[in-house]
Tab-separated table of all heavy atoms in Angstrom:
chain	number	residue	atom	x	y	z
A	265	ASP	N	29.670	6.417	-3.590
A	265	ASP	CA	29.951	7.194	-4.811
A	265	ASP	C	31.454	7.388	-5.027
A	265	ASP	O	31.946	7.355	-6.150
A	265	ASP	CB	29.305	8.592	-4.721
A	265	ASP	CG	27.786	8.503	-4.851
A	265	ASP	OD1	27.292	7.402	-5.155
A	265	ASP	OD2	27.112	9.529	-4.634
A	266	LEU	N	32.193	7.606	-3.927
A	266	LEU	CA	33.604	7.972	-4.075
A	266	LEU	C	34.543	6.784	-3.895
A	266	LEU	O	35.754	6.900	-4.102
A	266	LEU	CB	33.983	9.058	-3.054
A	266	LEU	CG	33.135	10.357	-3.110
A	266	LEU	CD1	33.502	11.289	-1.964
A	266	LEU	CD2	33.308	11.071	-4.438
A	267	GLY	N	33.957	5.669	-3.447
A	267	GLY	CA	34.772	4.474	-3.253
A	267	GLY	C	35.759	4.610	-2.096
A	267	GLY	O	36.871	4.075	-2.155
A	268	ILE	N	35.381	5.345	-1.058
A	268	ILE	CA	36.246	5.417	0.135
A	268	ILE	C	35.502	4.913	1.367
A	268	ILE	O	34.295	4.711	1.308
A	268	ILE	CB	36.810	6.848	0.386
A	268	ILE	CG1	35.706	7.893	0.230
A	268	ILE	CG2	37.985	7.176	-0.489
A	268	ILE	CD1	36.189	9.317	0.400
A	269	SER	N	36.230	4.747	2.452
A	269	SER	CA	35.620	4.064	3.599
A	269	SER	C	34.526	4.917	4.250
A	269	SER	O	34.652	6.127	4.395
A	269	SER	CB	36.698	3.700	4.622
A	269	SER	OG	36.533	4.439	5.794
A	270	ARG	N	33.454	4.202	4.639
A	270	ARG	CA	32.305	4.907	5.194
A	270	ARG	C	32.646	5.540	6.541
A	270	ARG	O	32.234	6.652	6.848
A	270	ARG	CB	31.146	3.924	5.370
A	270	ARG	CG	29.840	4.644	5.562
A	270	ARG	CD	28.737	3.767	6.049
A	270	ARG	NE	28.578	2.534	5.273
A	270	ARG	CZ	27.824	1.523	5.689
A	270	ARG	NH1	27.179	1.594	6.829
A	270	ARG	NH2	27.750	0.421	4.974
A	271	SER	N	33.463	4.826	7.331
A	271	SER	CA	33.753	5.371	8.672
A	271	SER	C	34.596	6.636	8.564
A	271	SER	O	34.431	7.572	9.337
A	271	SER	CB	34.425	4.310	9.541
A	271	SER	OG	35.627	3.940	8.936
A	272	GLN	N	35.472	6.667	7.557
A	272	GLN	CA	36.291	7.882	7.361
A	272	GLN	C	35.381	9.080	7.050
A	272	GLN	O	35.511	10.144	7.651
A	272	GLN	CB	37.258	7.624	6.190
A	272	GLN	CG	38.325	8.676	6.010
A	272	GLN	CD	39.062	8.424	4.682
A	272	GLN	OE1	39.223	7.270	4.260
A	272	GLN	NE2	39.488	9.481	4.036
A	273	ILE	N	34.455	8.875	6.140
A	273	ILE	CA	33.536	9.970	5.782
A	273	ILE	C	32.653	10.319	6.966
A	273	ILE	O	32.392	11.481	7.246
A	273	ILE	CB	32.664	9.575	4.571
A	273	ILE	CG1	33.564	9.389	3.365
A	273	ILE	CG2	31.590	10.617	4.303
A	273	ILE	CD1	32.902	9.476	2.049
A	274	TYR	N	32.232	9.290	7.691
A	274	TYR	CA	31.332	9.528	8.821
A	274	TYR	C	31.994	10.452	9.842
A	274	TYR	O	31.392	11.399	10.338
A	274	TYR	CB	30.936	8.189	9.467
A	274	TYR	CG	29.965	8.348	10.604
A	274	TYR	CD1	28.605	8.495	10.348
A	274	TYR	CD2	30.402	8.377	11.923
A	274	TYR	CE1	27.699	8.667	11.384
A	274	TYR	CE2	29.511	8.547	12.963
A	274	TYR	CZ	28.153	8.688	12.684
A	274	TYR	OH	27.260	8.860	13.714
A	275	GLN	N	33.285	10.166	10.137
A	275	GLN	CA	34.002	11.002	11.128
A	275	GLN	C	34.081	12.449	10.657
A	275	GLN	O	33.842	13.385	11.416
A	275	GLN	CB	35.426	10.457	11.360
A	275	GLN	CG	35.469	9.116	12.085
A	275	GLN	CD	34.623	9.114	13.361
A	275	GLN	OE1	34.525	10.122	14.060
A	275	GLN	NE2	33.976	7.986	13.647
A	276	GLN	N	34.384	12.611	9.356
A	276	GLN	CA	34.501	13.957	8.804
A	276	GLN	C	33.131	14.662	8.834
A	276	GLN	O	33.029	15.831	9.211
A	276	GLN	CB	35.008	13.852	7.360
A	276	GLN	CG	35.709	15.101	6.893
A	276	GLN	CD	36.340	14.872	5.502
A	276	GLN	OE1	36.533	13.732	5.084
A	276	GLN	NE2	36.647	15.948	4.819
A	277	ALA	N	32.088	13.918	8.440
A	277	ALA	CA	30.738	14.501	8.413
A	277	ALA	C	30.291	14.861	9.825
A	277	ALA	O	29.688	15.905	10.057
A	277	ALA	CB	29.772	13.503	7.784
A	278	LEU	N	30.631	13.995	10.783
A	278	LEU	CA	30.251	14.244	12.182
A	278	LEU	C	30.838	15.568	12.653
A	278	LEU	O	30.161	16.395	13.273
A	278	LEU	CB	30.759	13.078	13.039
A	278	LEU	CG	30.303	13.018	14.484
A	278	LEU	CD1	28.778	12.890	14.542
A	278	LEU	CD2	30.937	11.813	15.186
A	279	ALA	N	32.101	15.771	12.334
A	279	ALA	CA	32.779	16.999	12.761
A	279	ALA	C	32.083	18.225	12.131
A	279	ALA	O	31.833	19.223	12.813
A	279	ALA	CB	34.238	16.947	12.338
A	280	LEU	N	31.733	18.113	10.848
A	280	LEU	CA	31.093	19.251	10.171
A	280	LEU	C	29.680	19.499	10.703
A	280	LEU	O	29.263	20.622	10.893
A	280	LEU	CB	31.043	19.002	8.661
A	280	LEU	CG	32.409	19.058	7.976
A	280	LEU	CD1	32.340	18.459	6.583
A	280	LEU	CD2	32.898	20.497	7.894
A	281	TRP	N	28.945	18.399	10.959
A	281	TRP	CA	27.578	18.504	11.492
A	281	TRP	C	27.654	19.181	12.866
A	281	TRP	O	26.869	20.056	13.162
A	281	TRP	CB	26.983	17.103	11.650
A	281	TRP	CG	25.747	16.810	10.837
A	281	TRP	CD1	24.465	16.884	11.272
A	281	TRP	CD2	25.659	16.380	9.471
A	281	TRP	NE1	23.604	16.522	10.272
A	281	TRP	CE2	24.286	16.205	9.143
A	281	TRP	CE3	26.606	16.118	8.488
A	281	TRP	CZ2	23.847	15.784	7.893
A	281	TRP	CZ3	26.161	15.704	7.246
A	281	TRP	CH2	24.816	15.549	6.949
Side-chain angles (χ1 to χ4, degrees):
D265 288 352
L266 303 174
I268 45 183
S269 113
R270 196 193 310 167
S271 61
Q272 190 189 327
I273 295 201
Y274 182 82
Q275 291 310 325
Q276 204 173 341
L278 189 61
L280 290 165
W281 241 263

